[in-house]
Amino acid sequence: SPPLHDALKPLSWLLGTWRGEEGKGDYPTIKDFKYKEEVKFDHVGQPNLEFSFCSSHYETGKPLHREKGFLKIQPGTSHLALVNTQNVGIVELSEGEVKGQEITLESHTIGRMTFGKDPAVTKIQRTFRLVDADTLEQVVHMETSATAPAQHHLSIQYKKVA
Ligand code: HEM
């Protein structure tokens, strides 16, 4: 693959394929659940990473929530934008910061299909953190049209597999 764009050096720790075997999900309005998820961060030499998050059912392995998008960095700064498409019919634009090996992001725009199910997601907050050289963690909080302020939805640790 081409050399990593200089602007992406602060994000190089995300690159690769990661697999989470025991994600934990909850929300005040739903039953607690466990899930698996494979995450890939890749690049083509541009000042952005492309990613995919593919979750699956904890027991059956059946595909569940899926996301694909780009993580952009404002060159020369620690300011990030996450441009993300979710298979449930949501598009997410989040912004935030990278500090060392931790990223915090909060949505400023969420687009939604006219025929999306209620409740609507009204805010998404994410953190990514490198726990150690081959362990990545993601935590997601969200707010919906039925529940505010933002509350926990997902926590997962991934191991680096490639
Ligand atoms: C439920 C949003 C990622 C599994 C929900 C609900 C919303 C939501 C709005 C309905 C809550 C309610 O009824 O009050 C999101 C957003 C995500 C995300 C914005 C990403 C940022 C995931 C992932 C999984 C997942 C990765 C992994 C399997 C579930 C499950 C339910 C649920 C099992 C409950 C059952 C259902 O209503 O379908 N999510 N979700 N979600 N989510 Fe997520």
Short mmCIF file of all heavy atoms in Angstrom, two decimals, residues 13-15 18 101-102 128-137 157-160:
data_model
loop_
_atom_site.label_atom_id
_atom_site.label_comp_id
_atom_site.label_asym_id
_atom_site.label_seq_id
_atom_site.Cartn_x
_atom_site.Cartn_y
_atom_site.Cartn_z
N TRP A 13 -2.18 4.44 14.73
CA TRP A 13 -2.46 3.34 15.67
C TRP A 13 -3.80 2.64 15.42
O TRP A 13 -4.05 1.57 15.96
CB TRP A 13 -2.39 3.84 17.12
CG TRP A 13 -3.19 5.10 17.40
CD1 TRP A 13 -2.79 6.39 17.19
CD2 TRP A 13 -4.52 5.18 17.92
NE1 TRP A 13 -3.78 7.26 17.56
CE2 TRP A 13 -4.85 6.54 18.02
CE3 TRP A 13 -5.46 4.23 18.33
CZ2 TRP A 13 -6.08 6.99 18.49
CZ3 TRP A 13 -6.69 4.68 18.81
CH2 TRP A 13 -6.99 6.04 18.88
N LEU A 14 -4.66 3.25 14.57
CA LEU A 14 -5.95 2.62 14.25
C LEU A 14 -5.86 1.61 13.12
O LEU A 14 -6.73 0.76 12.95
CB LEU A 14 -6.96 3.70 13.82
CG LEU A 14 -7.58 4.58 14.89
CD1 LEU A 14 -8.36 5.72 14.22
CD2 LEU A 14 -8.50 3.77 15.79
N LEU A 15 -4.81 1.73 12.30
CA LEU A 15 -4.74 0.94 11.06
C LEU A 15 -4.73 -0.55 11.33
O LEU A 15 -4.08 -1.02 12.27
CB LEU A 15 -3.47 1.33 10.27
CG LEU A 15 -3.55 2.68 9.57
CD1 LEU A 15 -2.18 3.11 9.10
CD2 LEU A 15 -4.54 2.62 8.41
N TRP A 18 -9.38 -5.43 13.23
CA TRP A 18 -9.59 -5.67 14.66
C TRP A 18 -10.86 -6.49 14.85
O TRP A 18 -11.84 -6.28 14.14
CB TRP A 18 -9.78 -4.33 15.40
CG TRP A 18 -8.68 -3.33 15.22
CD1 TRP A 18 -8.53 -2.48 14.16
CD2 TRP A 18 -7.60 -3.07 16.11
NE1 TRP A 18 -7.41 -1.68 14.36
CE2 TRP A 18 -6.82 -2.03 15.55
CE3 TRP A 18 -7.21 -3.61 17.34
CZ2 TRP A 18 -5.68 -1.52 16.16
CZ3 TRP A 18 -6.07 -3.10 17.96
CH2 TRP A 18 -5.33 -2.07 17.37
N GLN A 101 -3.43 8.42 22.03
CA GLN A 101 -4.09 7.27 21.43
C GLN A 101 -5.53 7.16 21.90
O GLN A 101 -6.01 6.09 22.28
CB GLN A 101 -3.26 6.01 21.70
CG GLN A 101 -1.97 6.11 20.88
CD GLN A 101 -0.90 5.16 21.29
OE1 GLN A 101 -0.88 4.67 22.41
NE2 GLN A 101 0.01 4.87 20.38
N GLU A 102 -6.20 8.31 21.89
CA GLU A 102 -7.62 8.36 22.25
C GLU A 102 -8.33 9.37 21.35
O GLU A 102 -7.81 10.47 21.10
CB GLU A 102 -7.76 8.76 23.73
CG GLU A 102 -9.19 8.79 24.17
CD GLU A 102 -9.37 8.77 25.69
OE1 GLU A 102 -8.39 8.52 26.41
OE2 GLU A 102 -10.49 9.01 26.12
N PHE A 128 -12.70 6.15 20.99
CA PHE A 128 -11.81 5.05 20.62
C PHE A 128 -10.55 5.24 21.44
O PHE A 128 -10.06 6.37 21.58
CB PHE A 128 -11.42 5.11 19.14
CG PHE A 128 -12.56 4.89 18.20
CD1 PHE A 128 -13.29 5.96 17.71
CD2 PHE A 128 -12.89 3.61 17.78
CE1 PHE A 128 -14.36 5.76 16.84
CE2 PHE A 128 -13.95 3.40 16.91
CZ PHE A 128 -14.68 4.48 16.43
N ARG A 129 -10.02 4.13 21.97
CA ARG A 129 -8.85 4.24 22.81
C ARG A 129 -7.99 3.01 22.58
O ARG A 129 -8.51 1.88 22.56
CB ARG A 129 -9.31 4.28 24.28
CG ARG A 129 -8.27 4.63 25.30
CD ARG A 129 -8.94 4.88 26.65
NE ARG A 129 -9.55 3.68 27.22
CZ ARG A 129 -8.91 2.82 28.00
NH1 ARG A 129 -7.65 3.02 28.34
NH2 ARG A 129 -9.53 1.75 28.46
N LEU A 130 -6.71 3.23 22.40
CA LEU A 130 -5.78 2.09 22.31
C LEU A 130 -5.43 1.70 23.74
O LEU A 130 -4.77 2.46 24.46
CB LEU A 130 -4.54 2.48 21.52
CG LEU A 130 -3.69 1.31 21.04
CD1 LEU A 130 -4.42 0.48 19.98
CD2 LEU A 130 -2.35 1.80 20.49
N VAL A 131 -5.88 0.52 24.14
CA VAL A 131 -5.67 0.06 25.52
C VAL A 131 -4.25 -0.45 25.67
O VAL A 131 -3.57 -0.16 26.66
CB VAL A 131 -6.71 -1.04 25.87
CG1 VAL A 131 -6.47 -1.59 27.26
CG2 VAL A 131 -8.13 -0.50 25.74
N ASP A 132 -3.81 -1.25 24.70
CA ASP A 132 -2.40 -1.63 24.59
C ASP A 132 -2.14 -1.91 23.11
O ASP A 132 -3.05 -1.79 22.30
CB ASP A 132 -2.04 -2.81 25.51
CG ASP A 132 -2.84 -4.06 25.19
OD1 ASP A 132 -2.93 -4.43 23.99
OD2 ASP A 132 -3.39 -4.67 26.12
N ALA A 133 -0.91 -2.32 22.76
CA ALA A 133 -0.52 -2.38 21.34
C ALA A 133 -1.50 -3.16 20.47
O ALA A 133 -1.67 -2.81 19.30
CB ALA A 133 0.88 -2.96 21.21
N ASP A 134 -2.16 -4.20 21.01
CA ASP A 134 -3.11 -4.92 20.15
C ASP A 134 -4.53 -4.97 20.71
O ASP A 134 -5.29 -5.87 20.38
CB ASP A 134 -2.60 -6.31 19.74
CG ASP A 134 -2.25 -7.16 20.93
OD1 ASP A 134 -2.95 -7.06 21.96
OD2 ASP A 134 -1.28 -7.90 20.84
N THR A 135 -4.87 -3.98 21.52
CA THR A 135 -6.25 -3.90 22.03
C THR A 135 -6.81 -2.49 21.82
O THR A 135 -6.23 -1.51 22.29
CB THR A 135 -6.31 -4.22 23.54
OG1 THR A 135 -5.57 -5.42 23.79
CG2 THR A 135 -7.74 -4.40 24.01
N LEU A 136 -7.91 -2.44 21.08
CA LEU A 136 -8.61 -1.18 20.81
C LEU A 136 -9.98 -1.25 21.47
O LEU A 136 -10.60 -2.31 21.49
CB LEU A 136 -8.76 -1.03 19.29
CG LEU A 136 -9.50 0.19 18.76
CD1 LEU A 136 -8.68 1.46 19.00
CD2 LEU A 136 -9.76 0.02 17.25
N GLU A 137 -10.42 -0.12 22.00
CA GLU A 137 -11.73 -0.08 22.65
C GLU A 137 -12.60 0.98 21.98
O GLU A 137 -12.11 2.05 21.63
CB GLU A 137 -11.52 0.29 24.12
CG GLU A 137 -12.79 0.37 24.95
CD GLU A 137 -12.44 0.77 26.38
OE1 GLU A 137 -12.23 1.97 26.61
OE2 GLU A 137 -12.35 -0.12 27.24
N GLN A 157 -14.14 -4.23 23.25
CA GLN A 157 -12.69 -4.25 23.05
C GLN A 157 -12.38 -5.18 21.89
O GLN A 157 -12.93 -6.29 21.82
CB GLN A 157 -11.98 -4.72 24.32
CG GLN A 157 -11.97 -3.64 25.38
CD GLN A 157 -10.88 -3.84 26.43
OE1 GLN A 157 -10.21 -4.87 26.46
NE2 GLN A 157 -10.70 -2.85 27.29
N TYR A 158 -11.52 -4.71 21.00
CA TYR A 158 -11.11 -5.49 19.83
C TYR A 158 -9.65 -5.89 19.98
O TYR A 158 -8.84 -5.11 20.49
CB TYR A 158 -11.22 -4.65 18.56
CG TYR A 158 -12.48 -3.84 18.39
CD1 TYR A 158 -12.53 -2.50 18.78
CD2 TYR A 158 -13.61 -4.39 17.80
CE1 TYR A 158 -13.67 -1.73 18.59
CE2 TYR A 158 -14.75 -3.64 17.60
CZ TYR A 158 -14.78 -2.31 18.00
OH TYR A 158 -15.91 -1.55 17.80
N LYS A 159 -9.33 -7.08 19.46
CA LYS A 159 -7.93 -7.50 19.36
C LYS A 159 -7.48 -7.34 17.91
O LYS A 159 -8.25 -7.59 16.98
CB LYS A 159 -7.78 -8.97 19.77
CG LYS A 159 -7.93 -9.20 21.25
CD LYS A 159 -6.73 -8.66 22.02
CE LYS A 159 -6.94 -8.79 23.53
NZ LYS A 159 -5.98 -7.96 24.28
N LYS A 160 -6.24 -6.95 17.72
CA LYS A 160 -5.71 -6.77 16.37
C LYS A 160 -5.49 -8.15 15.74
O LYS A 160 -4.83 -9.00 16.34
CB LYS A 160 -4.40 -6.01 16.42
CG LYS A 160 -3.97 -5.49 15.08
CD LYS A 160 -2.93 -4.41 15.22
CE LYS A 160 -2.88 -3.61 13.93
NZ LYS A 160 -2.09 -2.40 14.11
#
